[in-house]
Amino acid sequence: NQKVLEELLNQYPSKVKRNRKKHIIIKDSALARQEIEANTRTIPGIITNRGCAFAGCKGVVLGPLKDVIHIVHGPIGCAFYTWGARRNKAKSEDPTKNFINYCVSTDMQESDIVFGGEKKLARMIDEVMEIFKPNAIFISATCPVGLIGDDLQAVAKAAQEKHGIPILAFNCEGYKGVSQSAGHHIANNGLMEGVIGQGDWEEAPGKYPINILGEYNIGGDSWEVERILKEIGYTVIAVMTGDGSYEELKNAHVAELNLVQCHRSINYIADMLETKYGTPWLKVNFIGVQATIDSLRNMALYFGDPALIQKTEEVIARELARVEPILGQYKKICQGKTAFCFVGGSRGHHYQGLYAELGIETVLAGYEFAHRDDYEGRDVIPEIKLDADTKNIPDLHVTPDERRFRLKISPERMEELKKKIPLRNYKGMNIEMKDGSIIVDDLNHFETEEFIRLLKPDIFSSGIKDKYVVQKMGIPSKQLHSYDYSGPYAGFNGAVNFARDIAMAFTSPTWNFITPPWKNEPLLEGTIAEGGCS
Ligand code: CFM
Ligand code: HCA
């Protein structure tokens, strides 16, 4: 693979080669450590898959909150981009409080850019109040708003006084960071300051109260996770933010444990909740059968109640007996195949376990916008150099809540448990990858095509921006962002759905009609002779 990589990099101009080289590694466990460059600026024009800070804030973290009206202050294209494409599902007991299908925007025009958009935004808030009466309004900024200097915070404050509901403004202009990741951080800070802890609950309404962080209910994932957890006996206080709501989130402080599924997008809140309320967080992964089982066992161990541990084992045994025979059938089709697994900030890692369960080896993986700790593990955090782009979004200064801070477990028990379960910890993707596999940060379209040509995977998984290019190369492509209109893929039922969809991708007769370019004869044949023309 070293040769493959050299061949690829040599096609770049030398400056680009120097840059990209730092973002690509070939896994070699003989080396003490392998550092990867991540969370730095993309080379302009290289055709990255990354999105912007607005996408990370409004589109990813805030957007799924269903009882909130999300106003996109900006040109209509930015709002349109976040309208339903992510497939974060939501249903509500009260249908008048589920706004998930709406897309609300100030639709800024040239005149607003010239004369300012604040008045238009204030009018829009009045209109939203008249039509929807939401539990809260969130305003998200797009690039031009920051460039012309509209004061969102002032508009939000005045409107909040006028209408008497929480109105929060997020300065998540697209250019605020090098990717979606900056937007996650901005959203985390805003939710922590303006939502979590605003409720008046002093204790949880049921046993084993937990929050699920970094679970966005894409294709119904969180419904499957909640099905399992509720059956075991957990009380889910809030999901952040899949099928979530302002109403749930404001009481999230009463949980005894915070689960973290996608660490990249929400580790900031997980840490802040521990500092403020004394609630530890546990890294979980509900993608894949074994990962789901491990997560359930770790949770039971944290609470340490024998009845809970027993119920956990009962549910695991029953679910396994149900799904294993079905998975076995699909495995026969998938066994021995290879995959590329390139997704945003955590799925590039999480889906490898599920692929492996089907007998599929991941030969190339990476993230669009993850940080070094998502690749190399949390231990590396103190070494990460903070550049100006990162410092752009400061960490909130959080202190223990005078009234509500309570250590949920003693420091001794914490130390003991940390040896057994990933409390406050995650290991990173690289550790689990096989020697010789390729790890790429911020993969671009040129590298996608080149790596496919060189490694010829049986399946490619990424997003909408590269899916069709790859399928035209004759390789089935599974979107691991939107799940291609399918899902859920989490939990036990999700593993079955995923296996079915992947097996279907391999067996589809479509591929008989497409010949990959490298299997074709040269497009031009013949000799060029001087003189004649016939
Ligand atoms: Fe987390 Fe996500 Fe992901 Fe992400 Fe995203 Fe997404 Fe993703 Mo698309 S929060 S980092 S910013 S798991 S939207 S639900 S699929 S890139 S890998
Ligand atoms: C985003 C959202 C996205 C895009 C997916 C894709 C998602 O980054 O703004 O490129 O296919 O999951 O919907 O990541």
Side-chain angles (χ1 to χ4, degrees):
N1 276 356
Q2 193 61 49
K3 224 178 104 233
V4 164
L5 182 57
E6 277 305 311
E7 199 181 308
L8 183 149
L9 289 170
N10 282 337
Q11 296 179 68
Y12 279 134
S14 60
K15 206 172 151 197
V16 176
K17 178 178 171 180
R18 263 201 313 283
N19 176 312
R20 288 304 300 157
K21 219 178 156 163
K22 292 185 248 165
H23 295 267
I24 307 176
I25 55 182
I26 298 173
K27 169 74 187 278
D28 182 356
S29 52
L31 299 170
R33 53 180 301 185
Q34 286 185 290
E35 195 177 313
I36 189 159
E37 186 158 304
N39 191 30
T40 53
R41 291 184 184 191
T42 297
I43 296 168
I46 205 164
I47 317 190
T48 169
N49 275 10
R50 278 180 172 177
C52 64
F54 163 78
C57 180
K58 192 276 171 184
V60 173
V61 179
L62 304 179
L65 294 170
K66 64 190 166 193
D67 59 349
V68 173
I69 284 282
H70 302 273
I71 300 179
V72 176
H73 188 36
I76 200 65
C78 304
F80 181 80
Y81 175 70
T82 61
W83 189 14
R86 187 159 167 258
R87 302 191 65 245
N88 48 287
K89 297 181 172 227
K91 55 185 172 206
S92 180
E93 311 260 283
D94 176 0
T96 65
K97 287 283 151 67
N98 184 359
F99 307 115
I100 207 76
N101 291 326
Y102 288 93
C103 176
V104 181
S105 169
T106 49
D107 183 20
M108 283 176 99
Q109 305 292 318
E110 266 173 32
S111 59
D112 303 314
I113 303 290
V114 174
F115 298 107
E118 291 177 11
K119 287 204 185 89
K120 196 173 191 184
L121 176 61
R123 274 204 308 277
M124 165 126 271
I125 297 172
D126 294 344
E127 204 179 321
V128 160
M129 285 308 290
E130 219 178 284
I131 304 173
F132 298 108
K133 299 180 187 55
N135 290 346
I137 296 175
F138 290 179
I139 306 157
S140 292
T142 57
C143 294
V145 168
L147 296 175
I148 64 172
D150 273 0
D151 189 347
L152 294 199
Q153 304 296 340
V155 177
K157 193 160 173 266
Q160 176 160 316
E161 277 160 25
K162 179 171 173 191
H163 294 292
I165 65 157
I167 301 183
L168 273 61
F170 294 80
N171 281 101
C172 55
E173 288 85 351
Y175 58 77
K176 277 281 168 72
V178 301
S179 70
Q180 291 94 313
S181 180
H184 300 149
H185 198 169
I186 294 168
N188 277 228
N189 287 354
L191 292 179
M192 197 65 200
E193 275 192 314
V195 183
I196 299 166
Q198 301 293 315
D200 52 15
W201 288 8
E202 291 308 328
E203 58 187 83
K207 271 182 120 178
Y208 317 121
I210 52 166
N211 295 316
I212 312 176
L213 278 64
E215 170 47 65
Y216 301 95
N217 203 28
I218 309 303
D221 274 356
S222 126
W223 292 334
E224 165 65 358
V225 172
E226 285 177 83
R227 173 187 76 83
I228 304 164
L229 296 181
K230 283 180 183 160
E231 190 163 356
I232 294 174
Y234 291 100
T235 307
V236 180
I237 305 289
V239 181
M240 297 183 203
T241 50
D243 194 17
S245 62
Y246 178 89
E247 285 306 308
E248 268 175 26
L249 227 67
K250 68 181 190 188
N251 284 311
H253 58 273
V254 301
E256 297 280 319
L257 175 68
N258 291 315
L259 307 182
V260 175
Q261 169 71 29
C262 169
H263 42 298
R264 181 64 271 137
S265 59
I266 211 147
N267 64 76
Y268 319 92
I269 287 183
D271 276 336
M272 289 190 272
L273 286 177
E274 181 148 20
T275 311
K276 191 161 179 186
Y277 301 110
T279 321
W281 60 268
L282 176 72
K283 177 71 187 84
V284 290
N285 177 19
F286 292 109
I287 302 299
V289 173
Q290 194 54 49
T292 301
I293 294 174
D294 292 345
S295 300
L296 296 175
R297 288 193 173 136
N298 292 344
M299 291 172 66
L301 211 61
Y302 168 84
F303 284 99
D305 180 344
L308 183 73
I309 295 173
Q310 196 194 328
K311 182 72 191 173
T312 302
E313 291 307 325
E314 276 169 31
V315 170
I316 291 173
R318 195 204 58 206
E319 294 286 315
L320 264 184
R322 188 170 63 83
V323 302
E324 266 186 330
I326 316 174
L327 289 170
Q329 290 298 318
Y330 293 127
K331 202 169 163 177
K332 285 186 201 146
I333 298 168
C334 299
Q335 188 77 46
K337 303 252 198 278
T338 59
F340 280 16
C341 187
F342 182 79
V343 209
S346 66
R347 293 183 174 179
H349 181 194
H350 289 150
Y351 275 84
Q352 289 188 35
L354 185 46
Y355 270 135
E357 281 172 357
L358 296 175
I360 301 171
E361 188 188 330
T362 302
V363 291
L364 180 146
Y367 300 123
E368 282 175 31
F369 50 75
H371 299 197
R372 273 184 64 202
D373 46 299
D374 306 305
Y375 291 100
E376 300 173 57
R378 249 183 109 78
D379 299 344
V380 86
I381 288 177
E383 289 170 38
I384 298 178
K385 289 192 283 302
L386 294 183
D387 60 12
D389 292 315
T390 329
K391 285 188 199 150
N392 213 5
I393 321 292
D395 282 322
L396 281 187
H397 180 65
V398 176
T399 51
D401 187 285
E402 276 178 31
R403 213 158 43 83
R404 286 169 167 165
F405 180 89
R406 179 172 58 80
L407 271 187
K408 304 299 186 294
I409 53 171
S410 69
E412 298 76 44
R413 190 162 148 68
M414 181 77 180
E415 282 317 303
E416 198 188 304
L417 277 175
K418 273 179 78 178
K419 289 186 205 130
K420 298 181 195 153
I421 61 177
L423 271 170
R424 277 192 213 140
N425 201 11
Y426 45 83
K427 285 217 181 80
M429 180 179 83
N430 299 9
I431 190 160
E432 273 166 23
M433 293 201 61
K434 281 202 179 146
D435 276 359
S437 57
I438 298 183
I439 298 161
V440 190
D441 176 66
D442 190 14
L443 182 73
N444 57 57
H445 281 215
F446 167 71
E447 287 165 15
T448 300
E449 289 186 37
E450 285 301 287
F451 277 126
I452 285 182
R453 208 172 49 77
L454 297 163
L455 300 174
K456 302 183 182 53
D458 296 301
I459 190 152
F460 177 81
S461 39
S462 177
I464 194 69
K465 295 162 193 154
D466 39 8
K467 176 187 173 81
Y468 295 103
V469 175
V470 174
Q471 292 203 155
K472 284 175 188 163
M473 294 171 91
I475 311 251
S477 184
K478 178 80 229 162
Q479 292 189 65
L480 282 186
H481 297 257
S482 70
Y483 301 164
D484 294 298
Y485 327 107
S486 187
Y489 285 163
F492 298 104
N493 289 337
V496 170
N497 290 340
F498 185 76
R500 179 201 59 214
D501 291 352
I502 296 298
M504 193 157 60
F506 288 140
T507 48
S508 165
T510 317
W511 309 112
N512 299 332
F513 298 100
I514 300 170
T515 313
W518 55 83
K519 285 194 182 158
N520 264 336
E521 294 299 310
L523 288 174
L524 288 172
E525 254 179 309
T527 50
I528 300 172
E530 228 172 292
C533 135
S534 55

